[in-house]
Amino acid sequence: MDDQDGYFGERVAAAYDTSSGDMFEPGVIEETVGFLAPLAGGGWALELGIGTGRVALPLARQGVRVHGIDLSRAMVTRLRAKPGGDGIGVTIGDFATTRVDGTFSVVYLLYNTIMNLTTQAEQVACFRNAAAHLEPGGCFVIEVMIPELRRLPAGQNIVPYHAGPTGWAFDIYDVATQATSSNYIEVVDGRGEYRSIPFRYVWPSELDLMAQLAGLRPRERWDGWTREPFTSESRRHVSVWEKPTA
């Protein structure tokens, strides 16, 4: 682990924007921005874990004023190097506790990033931090996966999701503690390298309780950014909680 940038140091940042994940597909980004921009309205948006600006930059191009919080200086350096990146304010720090000036119409935390907080206490703190930044009537938005425990046969705690001649990737689950990790093995020139990143998975109902503790109330929950119904077969959800006006 990089002590300064957590698990998202220079090596991860250098390759982050070349990921094969569908989160970088133009259509996905367009849908995400299309969901968030109306929530911002004429106010400010705060992105927790802004990273390299995957969503913040196109959201800013829609006229939304965006500020970000991120622990990784290496990721933010990539944001700064992109067109328009120098126009987005970023505060370096832990997004669960770091405060910035002002209030926001929408605070958002995308693509499983709530799981980077590896204890329940940290996740609760994140909700409280988001609520503290919201203006009355403002919204907190989270996009996160549904834990894939249904893929675990009895007695097994590993879910593989990539296997190839030069690399393997798998998740390890501890259902007693909700601790999980994404693990990567890569072979280059006959030498193997192993990397592991810890997470804490969290259920929708648990997030609702965290929101309640932070003084927020449920507004909507969907399967995705285009507002497909959330069902028992959904593999992720986009959830919105609102700060009461009184």
Side-chain angles (χ1 to χ4, degrees), residues 5 15 31 46 54 116 119 130 136-137 150 194 220 227 232 242-243:
D5 290 347
E31 291 169 358
L46 176 64
R54 177 183 69 94
N116 289 113
T119 70
R150 292 170 68 181
Y194 172 71
E220 51 188 311
R227 291 182 165 83
S232 59
E242 187 176 50
K243 186 170 185 176

Side-chain angles (χ1 to χ4, degrees), residues 88-101:
I88 295 179
V90 179
T91 301
I92 301 297
D94 178 354
F95 61 72
T97 56
T98 299
R99 293 293 306 274
V100 301
D101 292 336

Side-chain angles (χ1 to χ4, degrees), residues 23-41:
M23 64 177 178
F24 288 99
E25 293 180 3
V28 172
I29 294 175
E30 182 179 355
E31 291 169 358
T32 307
V33 170
F35 189 103
L36 294 172
L39 294 178

Side-chain angles (χ1 to χ4, degrees), residues 10 21 39 50 143 182 184 204 219-220:
E10 179 60 32
L39 294 178
I50 194 170
E143 175 196 20
S182 291
Y184 309 90
R219 172 166 162 168
E220 51 188 311

Side-chain angles (χ1 to χ4, degrees), residues 3-241:
D3 289 339
Q4 175 176 271
D5 290 347
Y7 287 92
F8 295 86
E10 179 60 32
R11 179 177 176 180
V12 173
Y16 189 77
D17 288 342
T18 61
S19 167
S20 60
D22 62 2
M23 64 177 178
F24 288 99
E25 293 180 3
V28 172
I29 294 175
E30 182 179 355
E31 291 169 358
T32 307
V33 170
F35 189 103
L36 294 172
L39 294 178
W44 280 79
L46 176 64
E47 180 166 2
L48 306 181
I50 194 170
T52 64
R54 177 183 69 94
V55 170
L57 287 169
L59 188 60
R61 287 194 290 269
Q62 293 295 315
V64 178
R65 293 168 294 176
V66 183
H67 191 91
I69 299 175
D70 205 290
L71 183 67
S72 172
R73 291 170 173 81
M75 297 283 276
V76 174
T77 296
R78 266 66 187 182
L79 163 64
R80 291 279 181 250
K82 296 177 181 179
D86 57 354
I88 295 179
V90 179
T91 301
I92 301 297
D94 178 354
F95 61 72
T97 56
T98 299
R99 293 293 306 274
V100 301
D101 292 336
T103 57
F104 298 81
S105 298
V106 61
V107 178
Y108 61 94
L109 181 58
L110 306 182
Y111 202 70
N112 303 327
T113 306
I114 185 68
M115 293 169 49
N116 289 113
L117 303 173
T118 57
T119 70
Q120 187 182 69
E122 290 174 319
Q123 292 173 346
V124 170
C126 178
F127 269 81
R128 287 178 168 146
N129 197 32
H133 283 98
L134 285 172
E135 61 188 30
C139 293
F140 183 33
V141 182
I142 284 183
E143 175 196 20
V144 65
M145 65 177 284
I146 300 295
E148 297 191 301
L149 302 191
R150 292 170 68 181
R151 296 179 61 189
L152 287 175
Q156 180 175 312
N157 66 340
I158 293 177
V159 175
Y161 58 89
H162 173 76
T166 61
W168 302 266
F170 55 91
D171 289 334
I172 300 176
Y173 285 87
D174 183 337
V175 298
T177 64
Q178 293 180 217
T180 185
S181 62
S182 291
N183 302 270
Y184 309 90
I185 299 173
E186 184 178 10
V187 178
V188 178
D189 297 328
R191 296 179 61 86
E193 181 174 303
Y194 172 71
R195 180 165 56 95
S196 181
I197 301 177
F199 301 98
R200 181 185 185 271
Y201 68 80
V202 61
W203 299 102
S205 58
E206 189 181 8
L207 292 171
D208 285 341
L209 183 56
M210 293 179 185
Q212 181 179 337
L213 292 172
L216 304 176
R217 62 190 180 197
R219 172 166 162 168
E220 51 188 311
R221 173 167 291 133
W222 306 100
D223 181 275
W225 295 111
T226 54
R227 291 182 165 83
E228 305 91 341
F230 177 74
T231 73
S232 59
E233 299 301 317
S234 295
R235 299 186 64 184
R236 63 163 180 169
H237 62 98
V238 173
S239 294
V240 183
W241 300 271

